[in-house]
Amino acid sequence: MTRTAEQAVVAKLSTLDRLLPVWIGAAMVLGLLAGRWIPGLGPALDAVQLDGVSLPIALGLLVMMYPVLAKVRYDRLDTVTGDKRLMISSLVLNWILGPALMFALAWIFLADLPEYRTGLIIVGLARCIAMVIIWNDLACGDREAAAVLVALNSVFQVIAFAGLGWFYLSVLPGWLGLPQVGLEVSAWEIAKNVLIFLGIPLVAGFLTRKLGERAKGREWYESRFLPKIGPVALYGLLFTIVILFALQGDAITSNPLDVARIALPLLVYFAVMWAGSFALGKAIGLNYERSATLSFTAAGNNFELAIAVAIATFGVTSGQALAGVVGPLIEVPVLVGLVYVSLAARRWFTTQ
């Protein structure tokens, strides 16, 4: 793909989407300034809870995730599940290699910082379900494949997240003779948060599509309804980031070196997962579109879920939550850059 073609792809996006890194950066700065300049804001926000769950953050997360999950074509799962190469590769990358790699990087780079290390491991367990669809579209990936893989990750996450969290935080360190971090929460507590922050928008998205298509048809639903609710996801994301950074403002500004240390393993993770997955797609004979989809769905993480679980389990001002908050700060610019790398690498697939 030529540079002109790449620019044409980006030009098709709305101004809101094209300037996404700018909006996220502005939200982070706004949150930091609000947290430092408005006395008592952090404690006041932290006090608005229900059963240990921060209501402002819950609102932002649910608003952000719902429009994305409403885009999934739930009736066309078989169009991708029939591609065994794609399905098996995605499952292995997302549920075996991804968590294992993040576990290894967390211990390599953050061995002396147990709270950040635990937060990073939780990030590795939270597989892509939201923003990855945007990166996939920018890279001209297979939209239907992305939707299906995201839907499958969503369902599998509800089922497997609690068990994987117990394994990587409690069991595996013991087997390897590493210091263990106490997980003062039951597997059900983790599953409860997964069900709240993932299950609710998943069910809402499914019902919205089903009822919308039944009432008005798919053409109306996808060409009229989805474009109207699409920007809501970004508003929810920006609102959540402002709240999180307001709560974590002191920790971020007081510990810039810690933030940098959290960022380093994340950079390595994104580079290894994306490049390895992209190369694997080509090696097993996938076309460019599905190779791109495979790579972005494997590299992306659901930081929203990771942050929600970390907050509910360890507290909104914990180091674990800070590790999750740093995630979007690194993911957005890195994956935007990888979109252009992907488009440039498209020429490798011209013979397919």
Side-chain angles (χ1 to χ4, degrees):
M1 176 177 284
T2 66
R3 182 175 180 80
T4 301
E6 294 171 17
Q7 293 173 338
V9 171
V10 176
K12 291 191 298 183
L13 296 171
S14 67
T15 301
L16 198 65
D17 290 333
R18 286 202 304 273
L19 298 179
L20 181 59
V22 175
W23 307 136
I24 289 180
M28 291 187 291
V29 171
L30 178 60
L32 288 173
L33 294 178
R36 292 190 66 86
W37 290 355
I38 302 177
L41 177 61
L45 291 172
D46 191 25
V48 185
Q49 295 188 9
L50 179 63
D51 193 25
V53 177
S54 170
L55 293 183
I57 293 175
L59 174 64
L61 292 172
L62 295 177
V63 169
M64 189 212 69
M65 296 173 70
Y66 160 69
V68 179
L69 291 173
K71 294 179 181 179
V72 176
R73 292 183 174 182
Y74 296 93
D75 63 337
R76 297 185 59 181
L77 295 180
D78 59 337
T79 64
V80 176
T81 55
D83 188 341
K84 303 303 181 184
R85 297 169 301 173
L86 177 66
M87 293 298 299
I88 293 174
S89 297
S90 180
L91 290 174
V92 171
L93 288 167
N94 275 289
W95 298 104
I96 298 178
L97 296 183
L101 176 61
M102 191 69 89
F103 174 86
L105 292 173
W107 276 97
I108 290 171
F109 288 96
L110 301 171
D112 59 328
L113 296 171
E115 287 192 0
Y116 299 153
R117 184 181 67 232
T118 299
L120 210 61
I121 291 171
I122 293 174
V123 168
L125 300 177
R127 310 313 300 165
C128 63
I129 70 164
M131 297 302 293
V132 68
I133 294 178
I134 294 177
W135 314 136
N136 182 71
D137 281 351
L138 282 170
C140 298
D142 186 321
R143 182 175 297 174
E144 192 62 38
V148 171
L149 293 182
V150 163
L152 291 178
N153 274 344
S154 301
V155 173
F156 200 85
Q157 203 156 89
V158 172
I159 299 171
F161 188 95
L164 288 173
W166 170 73
F167 176 76
Y168 278 103
L169 294 176
S170 301
V171 177
L172 187 56
W175 289 354
L176 298 176
L178 299 171
Q180 294 174 276
V181 178
L183 187 64
E184 298 179 2
V185 63
S186 67
W188 164 244
E189 287 299 312
I190 297 178
K192 178 188 71 174
N193 285 280
V194 174
L195 289 170
I196 290 173
F197 292 106
L198 185 59
I200 291 176
L202 179 64
V203 172
F206 172 79
L207 292 177
T208 299
R209 174 172 281 278
K210 184 175 182 179
L211 297 177
E213 289 189 355
R214 179 181 298 174
K216 296 283 190 174
R218 174 161 291 186
E219 174 66 23
W220 173 89
Y221 182 84
E222 296 192 343
S223 64
R224 302 287 296 277
F225 179 73
L226 289 181
K228 290 183 178 179
I229 68 169
V232 174
L234 177 56
Y235 302 147
L237 174 62
L238 297 178
F239 173 80
T240 304
I241 291 174
V242 170
I243 298 298
L244 286 169
F245 275 75
L247 289 165
Q248 293 284 354
D250 287 337
I252 293 173
T253 55
S254 301
N255 303 285
L257 292 180
D258 287 351
V259 172
R261 289 192 60 183
I262 295 169
L264 184 56
L266 285 169
L267 287 170
V268 175
Y269 175 85
F270 290 133
V272 172
M273 285 299 294
W274 186 90
S277 302
F278 194 83
L280 174 63
K282 180 170 175 58
I284 62 177
L286 297 179
N287 59 21
Y288 166 78
E289 288 75 14
R290 291 203 167 178
S291 294
T293 299
L294 180 66
S295 62
F296 281 101
T297 53
N301 287 90
N302 181 5
F303 286 105
E304 303 80 24
L305 176 62
I307 292 168
V309 171
I311 288 172
T313 305
F314 301 101
V316 73
T317 58
S318 65
Q320 290 88 343
L322 176 60
V325 170
V326 174
L329 174 67
I330 306 303
E331 177 179 357
V332 171
V334 169
L335 291 190
V336 167
L338 288 174
V339 165
Y340 292 98
V341 174
S342 181
L343 291 170
R346 192 174 189 174
R347 62 182 182 274
W348 297 346
F349 295 81
T350 54
T351 60
Q352 295 189 19

